[in-house]
Amino acid sequence: MKHFFKAVAVGVVVLIVLLVIHVFCNTHDIHLDSTVTSIVSSMCSLLLYQGLIRIEKNKEP
């Protein structure tokens, strides 16, 4: 169950960061490609989640 909550937390953090990036780009009239943005955000989520899991495995005796 801990892994599920970590995955949800990573997803929420990535979505918040993506929201801030989109708001900033929209206010400066920069248009982002949705396909590239979704691929990059999903890869960032996977890498962050794997990093959290790796840190947890290293701490276990």
Side-chain angles (χ1 to χ4, degrees), residues 30-41:
I30 301 170
H31 302 285
L32 300 175
D33 185 20
S34 61
T35 305
V36 175
T37 305
S38 62
I39 292 170
V40 170
S41 64

Side-chain angles (χ1 to χ4, degrees), residues 2-56:
K2 290 190 305 185
H3 295 290
F4 176 73
F5 290 129
K6 285 183 183 180
V8 170
V10 167
V12 167
V13 168
V14 169
L15 286 175
I16 290 171
V17 169
L18 217 66
L19 179 73
V20 170
I21 290 171
H22 276 279
V23 167
F24 176 78
C25 289
N26 283 339
T27 57
H28 292 347
D29 202 29
I30 301 170
H31 302 285
L32 300 175
D33 185 20
S34 61
T35 305
V36 175
T37 305
S38 62
I39 292 170
V40 170
S41 64
S42 63
M43 294 307 292
C44 288
S45 297
L46 287 172
L47 290 174
L48 285 172
Y49 177 71
Q50 289 297 325
L52 286 174
I53 297 302
R54 186 176 300 132
I55 290 171
E56 180 182 330

